Amino acid sequence: EAQVTQNPRYLITVTGKKLTVTCSQNMNHEYMSWYRQDPGLGLRQIYYSMNVEVTDKGDVPEGYKVSRKEKRNFPLILESPSPNQTSLYFCASSPRPGSEAFFGQGTRLTVV
Amino acid sequence: AQTVTQSQPEMSVQEAETVTLSCTYDTSESDYYLFWYKQPPSRQMILVIRQEAYKQQNATENRFSVNFQKAAKSFSLKISDSQLGDAAMYFCAYRSPSQTQGGSEKLVFGKGTKLTVNP
């Protein structure tokens, strides 16, 4: 089944403890992105990747890192999480410019 | 920068009735893509419908159709014969053309409209 898989689905962590949210797609898509969703703000892009080893900042990149060492994986790294990073996170992939994005199931992150 | 506005934070509709969700956007580009996504309580983001700006014909997908008014920069979603399963958050989204055309690989989302379907 074609899908984007995020792990974990839920995560509670403490301020300052490094964490990684994984994202994997099995559709051979070139493009991958990370978004965060906050009430009343919709979804905002954190980082995106056009291809392996090609990444760029989105609208809200502060406090996040990403890497794209292989086509299928695009992990999101929070080196020192803070409570303002408590949010719902989505990974998405798309095959070409202008196409729709296929989303993962979301990761609910709480930083205390 | 492009912006997307959904002016209705909440809407409700009776089962089997028709409802229209509004979306306007601001852009200086002539070619772009517009989407409606549905987010049910499961949180999954599900594509409802897609429209390419260069196509004059309004997109239709079963009970879902859009009214795309390019000059007015309006992209409303009409849901006909509403069903209980249509209850969800609906997000309008804008995507620029490819980066080689000066665009970016980014979806710009509106803040969403929460749709309630009453039995």
Side-chain angles (χ1 to χ4, degrees):
Chain A
E1 180 189 352
Q3 59 185 1
V4 179
T5 303
Q6 291 178 230
N7 280 297
R9 296 287 306 277
Y10 300 90
L11 179 60
I12 302 174
T13 190
V14 296
T15 298
K17 185 177 181 182
K18 181 179 178 180
L19 67 91
T20 299
V21 183
T22 64
C23 175
S24 180
Q25 51 96 3
N26 62 1
M27 296 170 280
N28 201 37
H29 286 171
E30 301 274 340
Y31 305 94
M32 298 186 75
S33 296
W34 276 102
Y35 295 85
R36 61 176 289 173
Q37 182 181 1
D38 301 290
L41 295 179
L43 283 80
R44 295 175 292 167
Q45 191 183 56
I46 303 170
Y47 268 94
Y48 65 95
S49 171
M50 307 286 278
N51 212 328
V52 175
E53 303 292 2
V54 180
T55 63
D56 207 349
K57 297 177 180 178
D59 293 323
V60 288
E62 293 77 21
Y64 304 95
K65 286 176 56 178
V66 293
S67 68
R68 188 98 181 269
K69 293 184 170 54
E70 46 189 346
K71 198 171 188 178
R72 63 184 292 125
N73 295 325
F74 191 46
L76 179 70
I77 303 157
L78 284 73
E79 295 270 4
S80 182
S82 63
N84 64 11
Q85 292 178 297
T86 292
S87 187
L88 177 60
Y89 291 87
F90 285 98
C91 179
S93 73
S94 52
R96 57 191 175 277
S99 64
E100 64 268 28
F102 295 81
F103 284 83
Q105 319 94 305
T107 295
R108 171 72 69 186
L109 172 65
T110 302
V111 183
V112 298
Chain B
Q2 294 82 17
T3 59
V4 176
T5 302
Q6 293 180 248
S7 59
Q8 307 150 316
E10 296 187 21
M11 292 279 287
S12 64
V13 63
Q14 291 295 127
E15 197 174 3
E17 298 293 308
T18 296
V19 65
T20 299
L21 308 184
S22 300
C23 172
T24 58
Y25 56 94
D26 187 25
T27 184
S28 59
E29 296 170 324
S30 60
D31 192 21
Y32 45 86
Y33 307 87
L34 297 164
F35 306 89
W36 278 98
Y37 280 90
K38 170 185 178 181
Q39 187 180 44
S42 67
R43 304 182 328 205
Q44 181 70 39
M45 293 290 287
I46 302 165
L47 178 70
V48 175
I49 203 161
R50 174 176 181 260
Q51 176 81 44
E52 292 146 326
Y54 66 87
K55 289 186 177 179
Q56 292 186 334
Q57 187 173 6
N58 289 325
T60 299
E61 195 69 43
N62 300 316
R63 297 183 295 107
F64 299 87
S65 61
V66 297
N67 183 5
F68 174 48
Q69 301 287 330
K70 191 172 184 179
K73 297 180 183 175
S74 171
F75 183 60
S76 60
L77 175 70
K78 185 171 84 170
I79 306 174
S80 303
D81 186 26
S82 297
Q83 301 176 359
L84 295 177
D86 294 334
M89 281 289 288
Y90 286 82
F91 291 97
C92 179
Y94 172 104
R95 168 165 265 168
S96 290
S98 69
Q99 198 161 24
T100 55
Q101 298 175 33
S104 69
E105 188 54 31
K106 176 171 76 173
L107 277 169
V108 179
F109 285 88
K111 295 182 179 181
T113 297
K114 182 179 180 181
L115 178 66
T116 301
V117 181
N118 300 309

